[in-house]
Amino acid sequence: YLTRMGVGITQAIGTGGRDLSEAVGGIMMLEGLKALQADPATAVLLLVSKPPTPTVAEKVLKQLKASHKPTVVCFLGGKAKMIREAGGIPAATLEEAAHLAAAVARGEPADGTLERLQAQHRELKKMAKKLVGRLQMKQNYFRGLFSGGTFCYESQLVLNAMLGKGAVSSNAPVKKKHLMADANKSAGHIAVDLGEDEFTVGRLHPMLDPTLRNRRILHEAHDPETAIIFLDIVLGYGVHPDPAGAAVEAIREAQAWLANERREVLFLASVCGTEGDPQNVLRQEATLREAGVIVLESNAAATQLAGYTLG
């Protein structure tokens, strides 16, 4: 997101979700935060993660408070009040976090960023009204097939806020009580993280091997209650050389079957990447759009469009 906004990144440190668990204690995030606070080339800090455990969050926010550098914090589903009290700038989604960080880096007021996001919401509502007319009465459900765990988590938060608490079940749920009974069987709104151990033990991660997700795309398309099949496409080094192209193979097969059934499923996606990635974000988006996929610039926006369509 930041690259599209023309804002550079001095350092990007990936800690992994387990770093913020009670057992690990946020060691990597704390050391990374200290290093960036001391780095003269870094003007604005951006922290992104699923919610840390309370004691780890306290440690991270204490370290945040020790520096005068502006810091945007996106602890997905976390409490904004704690972040503000530590002097941070809270963000509810990854997209909002990027917009706020870019605004601060440019010396722009945060209010302008939030107004742009509100305008985007209005456009998404208009789009949703048109999409509803393409669905049949029985088609009511969101089927999210994710290769990225953070995107899966973010989409659950967005949809639960729009469709009702606990509306979405998952194999990697926001709350344990919303755990899918069987990750291979869809019922209602679901968000499946295909990168979880149950899918990757003994096989490649879905960012490398699209076989399982492609099989699941066809399975969801055959369900008469499926309204939206939702995909995240992640680019970069060490992943599939053409993830959009691989997904489109299954999408076109599903569309051909659906045409015979005189039914349509809405395919929604976002692509996480830049023009500098080996796969090139613009080429990947074009590949998806040519196959009739509705592509938005962020996972949050694509999920919001799904929420407005199904709400």
Side-chain angles (χ1 to χ4, degrees):
Y1 308 145
L2 287 167
T3 300
R4 292 192 182 204
M5 296 173 201
V7 175
I9 299 174
T10 56
Q11 301 287 338
I13 302 172
T15 67
R18 291 184 180 87
D19 180 66
L20 296 159
S21 66
E22 193 72 33
V24 180
I27 295 170
M28 190 64 195
M29 179 168 275
L30 284 167
E31 292 306 311
L33 181 54
K34 290 174 188 176
L36 293 176
Q37 286 173 336
D39 177 23
T42 300
V44 180
L45 302 179
L46 173 57
L47 306 183
V48 175
S49 79
K50 297 175 186 176
T53 59
T55 55
V56 175
E58 189 177 332
K59 290 178 186 176
V60 172
L61 293 176
K62 183 179 179 181
Q63 180 58 39
L64 185 157
K65 206 169 185 177
S67 170
H68 295 296
K69 284 189 181 181
T71 305
V72 177
V73 181
C74 180
F75 289 159
L76 288 167
K79 295 179 180 178
K81 184 181 177 182
M82 289 177 59
I83 296 167
R84 286 195 189 93
E85 288 175 349
I89 304 166
T93 66
L94 304 177
E95 179 183 36
E96 184 179 316
H99 276 278
L100 287 169
V104 174
R106 292 178 182 139
E108 299 171 358
D111 289 349
T113 289
L114 299 177
E115 285 173 9
R116 284 193 291 274
L117 289 173
Q118 288 168 1
Q120 177 177 280
H121 273 276
R122 291 192 288 273
E123 290 302 312
L124 292 173
K125 286 181 181 179
K126 291 178 185 177
M127 290 176 65
K129 286 181 180 179
K130 295 178 181 179
L131 294 177
V132 170
R134 292 163 57 178
L135 299 171
Q136 296 179 4
M137 288 290 290
K138 288 184 179 180
Q139 291 179 272
N140 295 306
Y141 295 120
F142 173 94
R143 303 291 160 78
L145 308 177
F146 294 87
S147 59
T150 301
F151 287 139
C152 180
Y153 197 92
E154 180 183 53
S155 288
Q156 290 177 67
L157 291 171
V158 170
L159 286 176
N160 285 336
M162 298 180 76
L163 303 178
K165 290 183 179 178
V168 184
S169 58
S170 174
N171 64 325
V174 172
K175 292 187 177 180
K176 290 181 180 180
K177 63 182 178 180
H178 301 133
L179 179 69
M180 294 176 71
D182 184 342
N184 291 295
K185 295 180 181 178
S186 300
H189 302 299
I190 59 104
V192 179
D193 179 4
L194 293 163
E196 280 287 295
D197 290 348
E198 63 206 284
F199 293 111
T200 55
V201 172
R203 66 170 65 241
L204 291 173
H205 191 279
M207 288 184 190
L208 281 164
D209 181 2
T211 303
L212 276 184
R213 181 153 78 171
N214 282 359
R215 192 182 303 162
R216 190 66 175 261
I217 287 171
L218 295 172
H219 174 76
E220 300 298 348
H222 279 65
D223 183 345
E225 293 187 321
T226 299
I228 292 170
I229 294 177
F230 189 99
L231 308 173
D232 62 335
I233 305 295
V234 181
L235 312 185
Y237 293 96
V239 300
H240 194 282
D242 182 18
V248 162
E249 290 179 14
I251 289 168
R252 290 196 185 280
E253 185 177 343
Q255 289 168 332
W257 185 87
L258 287 162
N260 288 330
E261 296 292 306
R262 297 184 179 181
R263 178 162 55 88
E264 184 178 3
V265 164
L266 303 175
F267 288 91
L268 267 62
S270 66
V271 182
C272 179
T274 72
E275 291 181 58
D277 283 312
Q279 303 89 345
N280 189 301
V281 66
L282 298 181
R283 286 201 302 267
Q284 292 289 296
E285 290 179 341
T287 296
L288 293 166
R289 290 191 176 108
E290 285 168 8
V293 179
I294 302 161
V295 182
L296 283 93
E297 287 193 358
S298 75
N299 182 69
T303 308
Q304 287 155 3
L305 178 59
Y308 286 130
T309 303
L310 298 171

